[in-house]
Amino acid sequence: MAPAARLRSVVVDCPDPRALARFYAGVGGGTPEDEDPDWVVLRLPDGPRLAFQRAPGYAPPDWPRADHDSQQFHLDFDAGSTWEEVDAAQEKVLKLGARLLQAQDEEGFRVYADPVGHPFCLCRIEEG
C-alpha cells in the first residue's frame, strides 16, 4: 500500500527553540537554521529533520509517570557498539546540559533529560 504522506519533521515544544536546537546539534550533529526565534529547524546528518517550536507556558514531562504529565515521545540515539563508546557519548551530552535519569545498561540504553526536560536515550548498538 502506498503511503498517504511522508514524515517531514518531528516537532519539539520548548521555551527557547534556538537553545534546544543547539543542544541537539551537539548530540546528533547538524546546524540549526534559526532565522525565526520561535521556530528553529535542525537537519540531522543521515537522519530526520527536528524542529523546535516556542511554547509559552511550557512544562516538561515528568518521566516516567503515565498520568497527565506523561512523556509524549522520546528520541533514541545510537551511541556506539561498546559501553566505552556509550560512556564517551554520555560525557558529551552531560557537558551539553543533559542529565541522567536512568541507566538501563542491561537493556542496552540510558535515559537522559535534555536541558528543558524532554527524555531521550543513548543506545548501545547491538552487533549481530
Side-chain angles (χ1 to χ4, degrees):
M1 175 190 290
R6 183 176 56 89
L7 178 66
R8 177 184 174 103
S9 303
V10 174
V11 180
V12 180
D13 288 350
C14 59
D16 183 344
R18 286 180 172 156
L20 198 57
R22 284 192 302 270
F23 171 80
Y24 279 106
V27 173
T31 302
E33 301 167 4
D34 65 352
E35 294 84 27
D36 181 346
D38 294 327
W39 178 266
V40 178
V41 173
L42 174 64
R43 296 178 195 281
L44 295 174
D46 300 320
R49 174 181 131 142
L50 297 177
F52 302 91
Q53 172 177 272
R54 185 176 312 279
Y58 169 79
D62 189 10
W63 185 88
R65 289 173 48 182
D67 61 8
H68 69 281
D69 288 328
S70 70
Q71 150 188 337
Q72 299 299 308
F73 73 94
H74 70 273
L75 302 172
D76 285 345
F77 293 90
D78 287 334
S81 59
T82 67
W83 286 114
E84 291 78 16
E85 291 171 310
V86 176
D87 290 342
Q90 174 174 296
E91 184 177 329
K92 290 177 183 177
V93 301
L94 294 175
K95 285 181 181 175
L96 290 168
R99 64 185 162 81
L100 179 66
L101 295 177
Q102 185 174 21
Q104 295 284 330
D105 290 355
E106 66 280 355
E107 299 293 327
F109 63 92
R110 296 177 186 164
V111 183
Y112 304 83
D114 70 21
V116 299
H118 296 290
F120 72 95
C121 296
L122 293 180
C123 303
R124 186 172 65 85
I125 304 165
E126 296 290 332
E127 298 295 326

